[in-house]
Amino acid sequence: MFKILRTRLSQGHRTIDYPLSLPVLPQRYRGRLAVDPAKCQAGCTACKDVCPTGAIDVAGGVKLDLGRCVFCGDCVAACPSGAVAFTSDHRMATDRRGDLVLSGEELKLADGMGGELRKKLGRSLKLRQVSAGGCNACELDINVLNTVGWDLSRFGIQFVASPRHADGIVVTGPVTGAMRQALLDTFDAIPAPKIVIAVGACATGGGLYRDTGSTAAEASKVLPIDLFIPGCPPHPLTILDGLLRFIGTQVP
């Protein structure tokens, strides 16, 4: 026992300081994409042609849908003028689906819960996570937030086993036909008022499975979504930033 205590004391404080300070992300980190229509070459469709999810439209100037984007980087590599590029910005969560469509303007980040929701739910959230058919990448990065390095519970946010104990659902993956009813049943079991958070490209925009025969296009086709957190998978810092913005915590 004393050996364990000595070891723990020698390790010191292991939880990241965020949101008091930003962690240093690796140079290879692919953050939010940015588009600059002014750099587009007339008639060029290179980025659109290589996008595997149809996230890019070049009619009337380049537009990129972060909700569909799987961050593969093919568009960045294909663009001859640098009109599409990765940034190091981890912040991507939005309140509205339409805000995820970029066309050169600044991304409008989530404002958080409305007054009535904030009054009833306060700054503490109990969430039930539902994988509606995902590959487990988003689920793994959500689980990271429960480790000692991130300690999500210090913000009053916890994942619970029963929807009857939850304030809302975190949906990951495309909503498959086999999971559609289970997702609806889980939503119905949560007492009102309740929220729904879509995490990852499959939930926010259908991802690689968009418009296939066995899935819905995205979670918003099945449930009303209050917070969209894109990425494939989103970095734990992106997920945490979105959750903190949603409950009204001051974040950088």
Side-chain angles (χ1 to χ4, degrees), residues 144-180:
V144 167
L145 296 177
N146 292 315
T147 63
V148 67
W150 297 82
D151 191 15
L152 181 64
S153 62
R154 64 194 163 115
F155 301 109
I157 305 173
Q158 294 177 317
F159 287 92
V160 296
S162 171
R164 299 189 185 282
H165 301 158
D167 300 310
I169 301 176
V170 171
V171 184
T172 56
V175 184
T176 65
M179 281 300 298
R180 181 185 177 93

Side-chain angles (χ1 to χ4, degrees), residues 48-126:
K48 177 182 178 181
D49 294 341
V50 299
C51 181
T53 61
I56 299 178
D57 185 10
V58 295
V62 62
K63 294 182 181 179
L64 189 149
D65 188 347
L66 277 181
R68 294 192 194 182
C69 180
V70 292
F71 292 73
C72 64
D74 287 353
C75 59
V76 176
C79 181
S81 60
V84 184
F86 282 110
T87 71
S88 60
D89 196 342
H90 65 279
R91 301 169 300 171
M92 296 183 231
T94 66
D95 295 319
R96 290 166 290 275
R97 179 65 178 87
D99 291 339
L100 290 174
V101 180
L102 305 177
S103 58
E105 70 280 359
E106 191 67 23
L107 177 66
K108 181 174 174 51
L109 297 171
D111 292 327
M113 289 184 283
E116 189 63 24
L117 267 180
R118 190 184 300 276
K119 180 180 178 181
K120 293 184 177 180
L121 299 182
R123 296 180 62 184
S124 175
L125 283 181
K126 309 299 180 188

